[in-house]
């Protein structure tokens, strides 16, 4: 049995990164991974501009004229202003270009009108309220390395930088399948012994949220022949993810059939929930995961294994985020396996607090209503008391 770290290392070593990339417009780039470094096309700010509504002036002239200047002209957004007439101040608005000849802006709230003159505070400092061209980033500057997942704020930044299209790694094709004779689609009547299928649905949505193309492979019966047909037809996917049938019961055939058709790299990890989780290869292209059937185990193992695997496939080294927190309540157990507890988070005066929820059985999906993170209990730990420092993985 591998530890979580060993299994994750084995995983990274066995993922063949995507070879192909494509170019997409910004509007479609969310959640995609860059396949090449991205650089700025223009400076930001693009020109010296005002941080405030106020008056643009030349500081040396301001001092020379005893902090009183007449008003002349206006600079508004979207147009180049005239040059500043010597010995005057120009009306200016937030984001409008600072005129040639001006080096300082005074915000309107600080300016008094005395007859035809504007009176400025003597504390005015040269360069005040001017956003300098290129002070954020410069044209040609590297903005993102290859392998970065683009979020909406990244897209906003790229738009600002004059980038219209981005080279991204192609989306992986991911086949998602549930296994089990007991599984029925929600909406159908339940016969005795049947339950509603949920893992496949959750996995499809999680895969999509990671920027991949999720393909619904439906529910496969606990029948080796049906599983062989499925896997034999799955070789043109980048990933195949099944749930259920991965342990050692008589009807848990997934691991067995995976072993026949592909190569299993590991199938037992010392974690709770999620001990029976298989990872391996199926032909030259396809990576497979056999996740456990219990809905919570399937979600936890997706987070711990599939998420980093998809990142590695995209050429990204990112790992699930882990943050320190303080336990609201204690938790006792027998040491042995690393364990992941479902917790609710609260922010108490800048400190993150994690409450271990009631109902930690891996079949107890009801607990997910309140779950915001997984609390990681180290293998050698026999639990913790209220107030203890713990580590959580936000979901
Ligand atoms: P298994 O790993 O196939 O032994 O399944 C473990 C438990 O998870 C059993 O109670 C199954 O009924 C349940 N289960 C398996 N697959 C799913 C699924 N796709 N949706 C909901 N429950 C499932
Ligand atoms: Mg089953």
């Amino acid at each position: 049995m591998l530890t979580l770290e060993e299994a994750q290392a084995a995983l990274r070593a066995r993922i063949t990164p995507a070879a192909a990339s494509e170019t997409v417009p910004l509007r479609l780039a969310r959640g995609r991974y860059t396949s090449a470094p991205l650089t700025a096309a223009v400076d930001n700010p693009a020109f010296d501009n005002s941080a405030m509504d106020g008056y643009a002036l030349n500081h040396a002239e301001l001092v020379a004229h005893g902090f009183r200047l007449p008003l002349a002209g206006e600079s508004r957004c979207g147009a180049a202003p005239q040059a500043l007439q010597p010995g005057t101040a120009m009306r200016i608005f937030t984001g409008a270009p600072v005129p040639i000849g001006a080096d300082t802006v005074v915000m309107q709230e600080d300016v008094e009108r005395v007859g035809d003159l504007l009176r400025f505070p003597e504390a005015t400092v040269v360069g005040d309220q001017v956003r300098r061209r290129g002070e954020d980033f410069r044209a040609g500057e590297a903005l993102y390395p290859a392998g970065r997942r683009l979020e909406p704020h990244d897209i906003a930044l790229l738009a600002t930088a004059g980038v219209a299209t981005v080279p991204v790694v192609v989306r992986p094709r991911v086949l998602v399948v549930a296994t089990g004779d007991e599984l029925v689609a929600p909406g159908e009547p339940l016969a005795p012994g049947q339950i509603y299928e949920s893992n496949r649905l959750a996995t499809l949505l999680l895969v999509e949220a990671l920027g991949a193309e999720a393909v619904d492979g439906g529910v496969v019966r606990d029948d080796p022949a049906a599983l062989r047909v499925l896997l034999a037809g799955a070789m043109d996917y980048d990933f195949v993810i099944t749930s259920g049938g991965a342990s050692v019961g008589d009807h848990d055939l997934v691991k067995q059939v995976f072993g026949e058709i592909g190569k299993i790299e590991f199938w037992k990890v010392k974690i709770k929930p999620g001990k029976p989780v298989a990872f391996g290869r199926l032909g030259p292209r396809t990576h497979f995961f056999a996740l456990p059937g219990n809905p919570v185990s399937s979600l936890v193992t997706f987070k711990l294994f599939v998420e980093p695997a998809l990142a590695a496939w995209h050429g990204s080294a990112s790992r699930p985020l882990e943050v320190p927190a303080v336990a609201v309540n204690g938790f006792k157990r027998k040491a042995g396996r690393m364990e992941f507890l479902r917790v609710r988070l609260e922010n108490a005066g800048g400190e993150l607090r994690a409450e271990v929820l009631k109902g930690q059985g891996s079949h107890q999906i009801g607990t997910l209503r309140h779950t915001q993170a997984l609390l990681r209990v180290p293998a050698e730990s026999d639990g913790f008391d209220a107030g203890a420092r713990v580590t959580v993985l936000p979901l």
Side-chain angles (χ1 to χ4, degrees):
M1 255 212 267
L2 303 182
T3 64
L4 178 65
E5 290 74 20
E6 289 166 346
Q8 287 176 332
L11 191 69
R12 281 192 296 274
R14 295 282 181 273
I15 298 287
T16 308
S21 64
E22 60 186 331
T23 298
V24 295
L26 283 189
R27 181 73 177 87
L28 300 178
R30 178 200 182 164
R32 306 294 300 269
Y33 287 75
T34 56
S35 61
L38 303 183
T39 54
V42 297
D43 293 338
N44 186 52
F47 45 86
D48 289 358
N49 70 81
S50 178
M52 290 283 178
D53 292 330
Y55 300 89
L57 48 83
N58 180 286
H59 190 264
E61 288 175 4
L62 178 70
V63 175
H65 290 81
F67 296 90
R68 285 158 207 252
L69 295 170
L71 178 65
E74 177 179 282
S75 176
R76 52 164 72 199
C77 288
Q82 305 276 312
L84 183 73
Q85 287 174 39
T88 69
M90 186 183 282
R91 185 81 174 113
I92 194 167
F93 301 97
T94 306
V98 173
I100 290 169
D103 58 11
T104 304
V105 170
V106 180
M107 62 176 179
Q108 63 192 30
E109 293 86 337
D110 289 345
V111 179
E112 252 180 88
R113 216 183 171 117
V114 188
D116 289 343
L117 292 180
L118 299 170
R119 188 161 78 194
F120 296 92
E122 300 196 5
T124 301
V125 173
V126 65
D128 264 358
Q129 310 300 351
V130 176
R131 303 160 168 170
R132 291 256 160 241
R133 172 175 186 165
E135 71 178 11
D136 189 17
F137 52 77
R138 296 234 165 243
E141 189 173 320
L143 296 176
Y144 292 96
R148 261 295 292 273
R149 189 184 136 98
L150 298 174
E151 304 294 347
H153 60 266
D154 298 311
I155 310 264
L157 192 164
L158 289 166
T160 306
V163 176
T165 61
V166 287
V168 293
V169 177
V170 292
R171 283 165 15 118
R173 296 191 71 224
V174 183
L175 181 67
V176 179
V177 178
T179 73
D181 287 338
E182 73 280 31
L183 303 176
V184 173
E188 302 284 310
L190 283 183
Q194 294 184 326
I195 63 165
Y196 288 123
E197 196 283 317
S198 63
N199 294 343
R200 180 175 112 256
L201 203 54
T203 306
L204 284 165
L205 295 172
L206 287 167
V207 164
E208 277 169 1
L210 292 173
E213 181 191 343
V215 178
D216 186 356
V219 176
V220 176
R221 300 287 142 217
D222 290 320
D223 164 22
L227 277 169
R228 279 188 202 104
V229 169
L230 170 86
L231 295 186
M235 307 278 184
D236 57 348
Y237 288 90
D238 298 297
F239 289 85
V240 177
I241 306 173
T242 65
S243 73
S247 47
V248 289
D250 289 348
H251 303 286
D252 290 333
L253 306 160
V254 174
K255 188 191 139 249
Q256 179 201 316
V257 176
F258 263 141
E260 283 170 30
I261 297 184
K263 180 169 182 305
I264 294 181
E265 300 290 349
F266 63 75
W267 70 281
K268 269 190 174 174
V269 184
K270 258 162 70 182
I271 55 169
K272 181 183 177 185
K275 186 170 69 161
V277 52
F279 166 72
R281 300 291 303 248
L282 205 62
R285 170 169 176 183
T286 312
H287 308 80
F288 75 73
F289 284 98
L291 304 185
N294 273 312
V296 174
S297 312
S298 131
L299 286 170
V300 170
T301 50
F302 187 96
K303 176 91 187 151
L304 297 177
F305 300 106
V306 182
E307 201 176 298
L310 284 172
W313 188 86
H314 283 103
S316 159
S318 91
R319 316 266 175 93
L321 185 67
E322 296 189 359
V323 292
V326 173
V328 171
N329 46 357
F331 176 79
K332 290 297 157 206
R333 63 161 209 161
K334 233 175 82 192
R337 279 193 275 166
M338 180 181 280
E339 184 164 358
F340 291 89
L341 303 172
R342 275 155 279 159
V343 295
R344 186 207 315 260
L345 297 179
E346 65 187 35
N347 197 336
E351 177 182 84
L352 195 61
R353 289 155 57 89
E355 177 193 346
V356 179
L357 294 164
K358 283 201 182 64
Q360 292 287 336
S362 59
H363 61 295
Q364 288 177 294
I365 199 163
T367 311
L368 291 178
R369 257 172 309 177
H370 310 295
T371 301
Q372 290 170 301
L374 299 173
L375 185 157
R376 183 164 54 119
V377 187
E380 62 285 359
S381 161
D382 60 1
F384 49 85
D385 297 320
R389 305 221 142 258
V390 293
T391 301
V392 299
L393 288 73
L395 288 178

